[in-house]
Each structure stands twice: as structure tokens, then as C-alpha cells.
Amino acid sequence: MIRKLQPNEAPPMDILLLADPSRKIIEAYLTRAECFVMENQNQLIGAYVLLPTRPETIELVNIAVQENFQNKGIGKQLIRHALERAKEQGFQTIEVGTGNSSMSQLAFYQKCGFRITGVDKDFFIEHYEEELMENGIPCRDMIRLSKSLR
């Protein structure tokens, strides 16, 4: 079951930190965004966060699944729910960004119909205090992807 996080509930930081290593950045976007969680037998196993960025555009700023539940189709369920939610709210485009070193995430988003639209050079160097490494590659640039909701 996927549901909106209630105002009295603490955000699932352990899950959100799987996708974004900065607690400070997560806390900042959560103040302006909607967080949705997926439960399985009263256990939180996944989450995503949607943040309106422009009048007809919303960004999927975080999506993560607990490690022992990955590669079971849960991420695709979360994406489908996010797309439906964004359409219901009248958005025309949904965007997502991921690191240049995030090979499996880049493949995942493209399999879900997102297309690469740009690169924010040095994004992770400028916005994150610690150096990020993934797949033996320094994470420096944010690869931007988008999908039309029409």
C-alpha cells in the first residue's frame, strides 16, 4: 500500500538517505514537498518525494526502496504512483535527477520512460560537503531526466 505521509509522522529518513546522503538537503526539500511511503505488513519499505518546481512541472526529488526489497518491482510501483499523483494534480511534466555515477538509476529511469534532458555540471561538488563515489566513479554531475505526463 502506498500512502501520503501524515503531518504527525516523522519522515522515513533511513529510507530517504538511501537515495540522498544529505540529511540537511532532505530536510530542506521535505518542507516544500509531499512524501509518500509504501508499507508491507506495517513495515515501511519504500518512499518517494514530489516537489513542485514550476507551474506545470513537478520533480521526483527522492525515491528509495529498502535494500532487502530492491529488485522486486517496488521502485516501478512507486514511479507509477508518482506519475498518477502528478497527473491528478495537473502537472504536465515530471523531472528527476541522478548522479553521473548512478548507472542502475539511470537505466531504471529510462526504462520507466524518462529521457535525458540535461546535465547540471558539478552539482554534487557544489551542494554536498563530502565527496560522493559510486561504482568506482566520482559523483560530480547531476543527470537531469524528464517525462511528459500528457
Side-chain angles (χ1 to χ4, degrees), residues 50 58-60 63 79-80 82-83 93-97 105-117 144-149:
L50 286 176
I58 195 163
E59 184 174 350
L60 181 63
I63 180 170
I79 289 277
R80 278 194 297 272
L83 297 174
T93 304
I94 186 166
E95 296 179 331
V96 68
Q105 291 88 336
L106 280 168
F108 171 71
Y109 294 129
Q110 291 178 84
K111 287 177 187 176
C112 290
F114 286 81
R115 307 246 348 247
I116 295 172
T117 55
R144 306 291 303 165
L145 301 98
S146 71
K147 178 175 174 63
S148 173
L149 297 171

Side-chain angles (χ1 to χ4, degrees), residues 55-146:
E56 294 186 343
T57 304
I58 195 163
E59 184 174 350
L60 181 63
V61 291
N62 192 312
I63 180 170
V65 175
Q66 288 282 16
E67 289 177 10
N68 54 329
F69 287 92
Q70 290 178 4
N71 299 310
K72 298 180 188 318
I74 292 167
K76 284 187 179 154
Q77 289 178 49
L78 291 170
I79 289 277
R80 278 194 297 272
H81 191 271
L83 297 174
E84 289 170 21
R85 182 75 182 159
K87 282 182 195 175
E88 287 170 5
Q89 294 181 25
F91 291 99
Q92 301 296 310
T93 304
I94 186 166
E95 296 179 331
V96 68
T98 195
N100 61 280
S101 55
S102 302
M103 302 306 168
S104 61
Q105 291 88 336
L106 280 168
F108 171 71
Y109 294 129
Q110 291 178 84
K111 287 177 187 176
C112 290
F114 286 81
R115 307 246 348 247
I116 295 172
T117 55
V119 178
D120 290 347
K121 290 188 178 174
D122 293 328
F123 179 89
F124 293 100
I125 293 170
E126 294 170 5
H127 294 92
Y128 289 77
E129 294 173 11
E130 69 281 351
E131 182 183 17
L132 304 175
M133 290 285 288
E134 224 176 352
N135 300 308
I137 303 168
C139 184
R140 295 185 178 114
D141 307 320
M142 180 180 289
I143 307 300
R144 306 291 303 165
L145 301 98
S146 71

Side-chain angles (χ1 to χ4, degrees), residues 3-74:
R3 63 174 178 81
K4 186 175 175 183
L5 191 72
Q6 297 305 305
N8 62 335
E9 289 181 278
M13 277 298 180
D14 58 328
I15 296 174
L16 298 174
L17 285 164
L18 294 171
D20 187 335
S22 173
R23 180 178 290 272
K24 181 178 163 185
I25 290 174
I26 293 170
E27 288 172 348
Y29 59 64
L30 281 175
T31 64
R32 307 176 328 240
E34 286 186 311
C35 181
F36 294 83
V37 294
M38 180 179 236
E39 294 176 316
N40 181 22
Q41 299 176 345
N42 294 324
Q43 176 187 7
L44 293 182
I45 61 168
Y48 73 85
V49 180
L50 286 176
L51 175 67
T53 55
R54 294 188 296 284
E56 294 186 343
T57 304
I58 195 163
E59 184 174 350
L60 181 63
V61 291
N62 192 312
I63 180 170
V65 175
Q66 288 282 16
E67 289 177 10
N68 54 329
F69 287 92
Q70 290 178 4
N71 299 310
K72 298 180 188 318
I74 292 167

